[in-house]
Every structure is written in structure tokens, then in C-alpha cells.
């Protein structure tokens, strides 16, 4: 809080007067960052590989956002139970889009939409969540570029959830 107050050119007491606690400050920042993530990564059920690539791009450009979100998931787990949060509403909307895609034949109905979303999100965030493997890729991958990492995850999602014929 001292560093935040110094950077904001105010006192720590003023920061606490506005946010009341470190958790409240985190919740404010997390909500802002989650909103930015939601706006930057719209799900198109006809292009699930593109969605995965967009998520990858977002976190590759903003690794600090990934760390912030991960910290919140670990430290403020009770916020995940808030069914009225913007994030939960976004998840529900994405699941409905996936169900609609199944109804019209864009996505294999054998998949549970919850699993589809979870798997795509996890694949897209693989490199952000495993910096030690990303470091190994820089030295040991056939093609160490970020472009190659992105292409690999997009290909994985294409193979798991192929576009309709």
C-alpha cells in the first residue's frame, strides 16, 4: 500500500479511506481488468480457434494481467462464487452461445459447453501460466517464436473443435 500511495502521490491513509482494505483495492482493479479482458476477447462459436488465439494474444501482451487474475483466484476464491459478477454473467453468455452453436450444428453436441469453454481457456492460457516452459521453449523449441506458440494452441483447438464442413 505504501508503494501504491507513493505512485499515486497521496498518503496511504487516503488510499485506505477510498478502498478500505487491500482486498477492496484488488477487487476494484480486478473488476477493471476483467472488463478489459471481456471486451477484448469476444467468443465467436463459429471460430473457436480464433477465440483461443485472441485470449493468447491478450495475455502475451499483458502477462501482468494474467498474474493479477491468478492471484485473485487463489487469494479471493469466494469472489468466484458471486453469481452476479460481470465475469459470471460473461461466462453464462459464452455458454449460451456454445449451446446455440450446438443447436445449429456449428459445434459437436457431444461436448458439454462448460468443458468446451474450460478447455479452450486453459489451452489459450497455457503459455501465460507456465513461464518456465516458455523459457525452455526459447532455448529448445524447433521454432522458439511467440508466433509458433500461438499457432500450436490454435491448431490444438482446431483439432479438438473443428469448424463445421
Amino acid at each position: 500500500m505504501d508503494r501504491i500511495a507513493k505512485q499515486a502521490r497521496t498518503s496511504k491513509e487516503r488510499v485506505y479511506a477510498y478502498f478500505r482494505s487491500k482486498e477492496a483495492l484488488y477487487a476494484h482493479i480486478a473488476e477493471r481488468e476483467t472488463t478489459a479482458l471481456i471486451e477484448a476477447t469476444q467468443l465467436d462459436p463459429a471460430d473457436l480457434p480464433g477465440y483461443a488465439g485472441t485470449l493468447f494474444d491478450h495475455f502475451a501482451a499483458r502477462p501482468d494481467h494474467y498474474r493479477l487474475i491468478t492471484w485473485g483466484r487463489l487469494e479471493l476464491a469466494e469472489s468466484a462464487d458471486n453469481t452476479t459478477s460481470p465475469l459470471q454473467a460473461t461466462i453464462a453468455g459464452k455458454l449460451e452461445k456454445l449451446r446455440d452453436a450446438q443447436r445449429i450444428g456449428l459445434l459437436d453436441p457431444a461436448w458439454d459447453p462448460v468443458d468446451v469453454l474450460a478447455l479452450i481457456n486453459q489451452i489459450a492460457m497455457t503459455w501465460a501460466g507456465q513461464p518456465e516452459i516458455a523459457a525452455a521453449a526459447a532455448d529448445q523449441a524447433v521454432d522458439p517464436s511467440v508466433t509458433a506458440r500461438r499457432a500450436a494452441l490454435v491448431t490444438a483447438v482446431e483439432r479438438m473443435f473443428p469448424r463445421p464442413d
Side-chain angles (χ1 to χ4, degrees):
M1 292 301 273
D2 288 324
R3 285 183 287 162
I4 292 168
K6 184 178 179 180
Q7 191 172 21
R9 297 183 182 151
T10 191
S11 69
K12 184 167 71 170
E13 291 76 21
R14 292 299 321 143
V15 174
Y16 274 115
Y18 189 77
F19 290 107
R20 294 190 175 181
S21 68
K22 291 177 186 176
E23 290 79 12
L25 173 60
Y26 171 78
H28 173 78
I29 292 168
E31 183 176 336
R32 186 186 71 200
E33 297 305 321
T34 299
T35 299
L37 173 64
I38 289 167
E39 290 173 359
T41 59
Q42 298 296 313
L43 178 107
D44 177 357
D47 185 15
L48 296 177
Y51 170 70
T54 299
L55 275 174
F56 172 87
D57 294 341
H58 182 83
F59 287 117
R62 298 165 194 84
D64 53 324
H65 292 199
Y66 179 81
R67 287 190 300 274
L68 179 76
I69 290 168
T70 300
W71 180 85
R73 285 179 178 153
L74 296 172
E75 295 297 323
L76 303 173
E78 68 276 358
S79 64
D81 297 334
N82 181 358
T83 59
T84 62
S85 75
L87 181 56
Q88 290 299 322
T90 298
I91 291 168
K94 288 179 180 183
L95 293 173
E96 191 56 36
K97 284 182 178 183
L98 293 170
R99 285 184 193 97
D100 290 343
Q102 288 176 319
R103 281 191 279 276
I104 63 172
L106 290 177
L107 180 62
D108 183 349
W111 286 97
D112 187 318
V114 173
D115 293 329
V116 172
L117 186 60
L119 289 167
I120 292 172
N121 285 348
Q122 194 60 44
I123 290 168
M125 292 185 276
T126 295
W127 295 104
Q130 298 185 76
E132 64 283 354
I133 296 178
D139 294 336
Q140 299 179 35
V142 173
D143 179 349
S145 71
V146 173
T147 304
R149 305 291 69 80
R150 184 186 196 280
L153 72 90
V154 167
T155 298
V157 172
E158 284 175 343
R159 290 181 181 172
M160 287 180 73
F161 309 107
R163 290 181 177 102
D165 294 332

